[in-house]
Amino acid sequence: MRHGERAWQAALLDLDGTLYRGDEVVPGAPEFVERLRRRGIRPVFLTNNSTRTPRQVADKLNRMGITAEPDEVCTSAEASAHQLRERFGPAYIGFVGLDGVREALVEFGHRAVELGTPEHDGHPGVAAVVVGLDPEITYRRLTAVCAEVSRLGAFILTNGDVRLPAGDRFVPGNGALGAFIETATGIRPYVAGKPNPDFVQFALQRYGLDPDGVLLIGDNRRTDVLAGKLAGVYTVQVQSGVQYAETESASTPLEPDEVHPSVADLFLP
Ligand SMILES: [Mg+2]
């Protein structure tokens, strides 16, 4: 196996479809992460999901038997907050989302203003808008979000995932929320999560990694593999995602460097 023949600094790991499926761990994933650690390869949990904080992500992984620390987690909410810090410095940022978005904004020095709530009413004006998934969002709040996006002429969508698996059904993902706002305002979002290579760059910068020493492992060609390719890291696709069969086709954008059934097949002794 080619990936096993190189000395890697770090492995950027997708979560849903790669280490777990919904609430079920992918068989062999805990042992795989331990193999990485034993080889001195830093695991970085790189997730498009912006609803959870890094601690909540680490807690979920640990409950499944995968050892993870909050500072090994990079979320699309953090990448969004980082972008805004670079662009505006510390600022008042309007947001839609759960703790994952609010805490990321605060972590990067911003003042987080939840759009369409009393803390937003009467606010003199936010510098930017970040939209993450909030399953409790209302039409009234979306109206307030659209007004701010219209005024600013731009918004950041933490991630563009269109559907989230929920048992044998799905729930609309953040991409669907972004499409609502885009349709109403005519303004296209900047999408911070994968496949945007800036998300990978954010992780490389955060841990001081050289792209030549990094591999990215994920189940989705259109998000994981594309982001990795664009950022110049080695890419491994695993076929453990629930949507693997239905979403992959001959028209997928880029070939990964390697394809394996699951992380259980990687870095075997
Ligand atoms: Mg995935």
Side-chain angles (χ1 to χ4, degrees), residues 14-20 46 48 161 194 217-220 223-224 238 241-243:
D14 174 55
L15 299 184
D16 212 340
T18 301
L19 298 181
Y20 56 72
L46 190 77
N48 263 7
D161 300 58
K194 296 171 277 188
I217 303 169
D219 64 304
N220 191 316
T223 54
D224 303 311
V238 290
V242 279
Q243 293 168 310

Side-chain angles (χ1 to χ4, degrees), residues 128-131 145 149 152-157 177-182 185 187-191:
V129 166
V130 177
V131 175
V145 174
V149 168
L152 293 164
F155 70 110
I156 291 185
L157 194 65
L177 190 54
F180 180 100
I181 298 164
E182 180 178 343
T185 62
I187 293 161
R188 296 194 70 166
Y190 171 89
V191 183

Side-chain angles (χ1 to χ4, degrees), residues 38 57 73 84 122 153 156 164 170 184 200 216 221 226 229:
R38 278 204 306 275
V57 172
V73 176
L84 290 168
I156 291 185
L164 300 178
F170 71 89
V200 176
L216 185 151
R221 286 195 188 199
L226 184 54
K229 285 283 180 185

Side-chain angles (χ1 to χ4, degrees), residues 125-186:
V126 294
V129 166
V130 177
V131 175
L133 191 61
D134 177 352
E136 304 295 324
I137 191 80
T138 62
Y139 194 85
R140 190 187 65 76
R141 287 193 54 211
L142 281 169
T143 303
V145 174
C146 289
E148 288 288 17
V149 168
S150 228
R151 181 179 67 80
L152 293 164
F155 70 110
I156 291 185
L157 194 65
T158 57
N159 62 303
D161 300 58
V162 177
R163 296 175 172 198
L164 300 178
D168 53 358
R169 302 176 34 192
F170 71 89
V171 294
N174 200 42
L177 190 54
F180 180 100
I181 298 164
E182 180 178 343
T183 302
T185 62

